[in-house]
CSV table of all heavy atoms in Angstrom, one decimal:
chain,number,residue,atom,x,y,z
A,212,ALA,N,106.3,174.0,45.1
A,212,ALA,CA,106.9,174.6,43.8
A,212,ALA,C,108.3,174.1,43.7
A,212,ALA,O,108.8,173.8,42.6
A,212,ALA,CB,106.9,176.1,43.9
A,213,GLU,N,109.1,173.9,44.8
A,213,GLU,CA,110.4,173.4,44.7
A,213,GLU,C,110.5,172.0,44.2
A,213,GLU,O,111.5,171.5,43.7
A,213,GLU,CB,111.1,173.5,46.1
A,213,GLU,CG,111.4,175.0,46.5
A,213,GLU,CD,111.9,175.1,47.9
A,213,GLU,OE1,112.1,174.0,48.6
A,213,GLU,OE2,112.2,176.2,48.4
A,214,LYS,N,109.3,171.3,44.4
A,214,LYS,CA,109.3,169.9,43.9
A,214,LYS,C,108.7,169.8,42.5
A,214,LYS,O,108.3,168.7,42.0
A,214,LYS,CB,108.4,169.1,44.9
A,214,LYS,CG,108.9,169.0,46.3
A,214,LYS,CD,107.8,168.3,47.2
A,214,LYS,CE,108.3,168.3,48.7
A,214,LYS,NZ,107.2,167.7,49.5
A,215,SER,N,108.5,171.0,41.9
A,215,SER,CA,108.0,171.1,40.5
A,215,SER,C,106.5,170.7,40.4
A,215,SER,O,106.1,170.3,39.3
A,215,SER,CB,108.8,170.2,39.5
A,215,SER,OG,110.2,170.7,39.5
A,216,ASP,N,105.8,170.8,41.5
A,216,ASP,CA,104.4,170.6,41.4
A,216,ASP,C,103.7,171.6,40.5
A,216,ASP,O,104.0,172.8,40.6
A,216,ASP,CB,103.8,170.8,42.8
A,216,ASP,CG,102.3,170.6,42.9
A,216,ASP,OD1,101.5,171.5,42.5
A,216,ASP,OD2,101.8,169.5,43.2
A,217,ALA,N,103.0,171.2,39.5
A,217,ALA,CA,102.5,172.0,38.4
A,217,ALA,C,101.6,173.2,38.9
A,217,ALA,O,101.8,174.3,38.5
A,217,ALA,CB,101.7,171.2,37.4
A,218,VAL,N,100.7,172.9,39.9
A,218,VAL,CA,99.8,173.9,40.4
A,218,VAL,C,100.6,174.9,41.2
A,218,VAL,O,100.5,176.2,41.0
A,218,VAL,CB,98.7,173.3,41.2
A,218,VAL,CG1,97.9,174.4,42.0
A,218,VAL,CG2,97.8,172.5,40.3
A,219,ALA,N,101.5,174.5,42.0
A,219,ALA,CA,102.3,175.4,42.8
A,219,ALA,C,103.2,176.2,42.0
A,219,ALA,O,103.3,177.5,42.2
A,219,ALA,CB,103.2,174.5,43.8
A,220,VAL,N,103.8,175.7,41.0
A,220,VAL,CA,104.7,176.5,40.1
A,220,VAL,C,103.9,177.5,39.4
A,220,VAL,O,104.3,178.7,39.2
A,220,VAL,CB,105.4,175.5,39.0
A,220,VAL,CG1,106.0,176.4,37.9
A,220,VAL,CG2,106.4,174.7,39.7
A,221,ASP,N,102.7,177.2,38.9
A,221,ASP,CA,101.8,178.2,38.2
A,221,ASP,C,101.4,179.3,39.2
A,221,ASP,O,101.4,180.5,38.8
A,221,ASP,CB,100.6,177.5,37.7
A,221,ASP,CG,99.8,178.4,36.7
A,221,ASP,OD1,100.5,178.9,35.8
A,221,ASP,OD2,98.6,178.6,36.9
A,222,ILE,N,101.1,179.0,40.4
A,222,ILE,CA,100.7,180.0,41.4
A,222,ILE,C,101.9,181.0,41.6
A,222,ILE,O,101.8,182.2,41.6
A,222,ILE,CB,100.3,179.4,42.7
A,222,ILE,CG1,98.9,178.7,42.5
A,222,ILE,CG2,100.1,180.4,43.8
A,222,ILE,CD1,98.5,177.9,43.7
A,223,VAL,N,103.1,180.4,41.8
A,223,VAL,CA,104.3,181.2,42.1
A,223,VAL,C,104.6,182.0,40.9
A,223,VAL,O,105.0,183.2,41.0
A,223,VAL,CB,105.5,180.3,42.5
A,223,VAL,CG1,106.8,181.2,42.6
A,223,VAL,CG2,105.2,179.7,43.8
A,224,LYS,N,104.6,181.5,39.7
A,224,LYS,CA,104.9,182.2,38.5
A,224,LYS,C,103.9,183.4,38.3
A,224,LYS,O,104.3,184.5,37.8
A,224,LYS,CB,104.9,181.3,37.2
A,224,LYS,CG,106.1,180.4,37.1
A,224,LYS,CD,106.1,179.6,35.8
A,224,LYS,CE,107.4,178.9,35.7
A,224,LYS,NZ,107.5,178.1,34.4
A,225,THR,N,102.7,183.2,38.6
A,225,THR,CA,101.7,184.3,38.5
A,225,THR,C,102.1,185.4,39.5
A,225,THR,O,102.0,186.6,39.1
A,225,THR,CB,100.3,183.8,38.8
A,225,THR,OG1,99.9,182.8,37.9
A,225,THR,CG2,99.3,184.9,38.8
A,226,ALA,N,102.5,185.0,40.7
A,226,ALA,CA,102.9,186.0,41.7
A,226,ALA,C,104.2,186.8,41.2
A,226,ALA,O,104.3,188.0,41.3
A,226,ALA,CB,103.1,185.3,43.0
A,227,VAL,N,105.1,186.0,40.6
A,227,VAL,CA,106.4,186.6,40.2
A,227,VAL,C,106.1,187.6,39.0
A,227,VAL,O,106.7,188.7,38.9
A,227,VAL,CB,107.4,185.5,39.8
A,227,VAL,CG1,108.6,186.1,39.1
A,227,VAL,CG2,107.8,184.8,41.0
A,228,ASN,N,105.2,187.3,38.2
A,228,ASN,CA,104.8,188.2,37.1
A,228,ASN,C,104.2,189.5,37.7
A,228,ASN,O,104.5,190.6,37.2
A,228,ASN,CB,103.8,187.5,36.2
A,228,ASN,CG,103.4,188.4,35.0
A,228,ASN,OD1,104.3,188.7,34.2
A,228,ASN,ND2,102.2,188.7,34.8
A,229,ALA,N,103.4,189.4,38.7
A,229,ALA,CA,102.9,190.6,39.4
A,229,ALA,C,104.0,191.4,40.0
A,229,ALA,O,104.0,192.6,39.9
A,229,ALA,CB,101.9,190.2,40.4
A,230,ILE,N,105.0,190.7,40.6
A,230,ILE,CA,106.1,191.5,41.1
A,230,ILE,C,106.9,192.2,40.0
A,230,ILE,O,107.2,193.4,40.2
A,230,ILE,CB,107.1,190.5,41.9
A,230,ILE,CG1,106.4,189.9,43.1
A,230,ILE,CG2,108.4,191.2,42.2
A,230,ILE,CD1,107.2,188.8,43.8
A,231,ALA,N,107.1,191.5,38.9
A,231,ALA,CA,107.8,192.1,37.8
A,231,ALA,C,107.1,193.4,37.3
A,231,ALA,O,107.7,194.4,37.0
A,231,ALA,CB,108.0,191.1,36.7
A,232,GLN,N,105.8,193.3,37.1
A,232,GLN,CA,105.0,194.4,36.6
A,232,GLN,C,105.1,195.6,37.6
A,232,GLN,O,105.3,196.8,37.2
A,232,GLN,CB,103.6,194.0,36.5
A,232,GLN,CG,103.3,193.0,35.3
A,232,GLN,CD,101.9,192.6,35.2
A,232,GLN,OE1,101.2,192.5,36.2
A,232,GLN,NE2,101.4,192.4,34.0
A,233,SER,N,105.1,195.3,38.9
A,233,SER,CA,105.2,196.4,39.9
A,233,SER,C,106.6,197.0,39.9
A,233,SER,O,106.7,198.3,40.0
A,233,SER,CB,104.8,195.9,41.3
A,233,SER,OG,103.4,195.5,41.3
A,234,LEU,N,107.6,196.2,39.8
A,234,LEU,CA,109.0,196.7,39.8
A,234,LEU,C,109.2,197.6,38.6
A,234,LEU,O,109.8,198.6,38.6
A,234,LEU,CB,110.0,195.6,39.9
A,234,LEU,CG,110.0,194.8,41.2
A,234,LEU,CD1,111.1,193.7,41.1
A,234,LEU,CD2,110.4,195.8,42.4
A,235,ASP,N,108.7,197.1,37.4
A,235,ASP,CA,108.8,197.9,36.2
A,235,ASP,C,108.1,199.2,36.3
A,235,ASP,O,108.6,200.2,35.7
A,235,ASP,CB,108.3,197.1,35.0
A,235,ASP,CG,109.2,195.9,34.6
A,235,ASP,OD1,110.4,195.9,35.0
A,235,ASP,OD2,108.7,195.0,33.9
A,236,ALA,N,107.1,199.3,37.0
A,236,ALA,CA,106.3,200.5,37.2
A,236,ALA,C,107.1,201.5,38.0
A,236,ALA,O,106.9,202.8,37.9
A,236,ALA,CB,105.0,200.3,37.8
A,237,LEU,N,108.1,201.1,38.8
A,237,LEU,CA,108.9,201.9,39.7
A,237,LEU,C,110.3,202.2,39.2
A,237,LEU,O,110.9,203.2,39.5
A,237,LEU,CB,108.9,201.3,41.1
A,237,LEU,CG,107.6,201.2,41.9
A,237,LEU,CD1,107.9,200.4,43.1
A,237,LEU,CD2,107.1,202.6,42.2
Side-chain angles (χ1 to χ4, degrees):
E213 291 177 1
K214 301 174 183 177
S215 300
D216 181 277
V218 171
V220 168
D221 192 53
I222 291 173
V223 172
K224 284 185 175 180
T225 298
V227 170
N228 183 59
I230 293 172
Q232 290 177 328
S233 294
L234 292 177
D235 286 343
L237 293 172

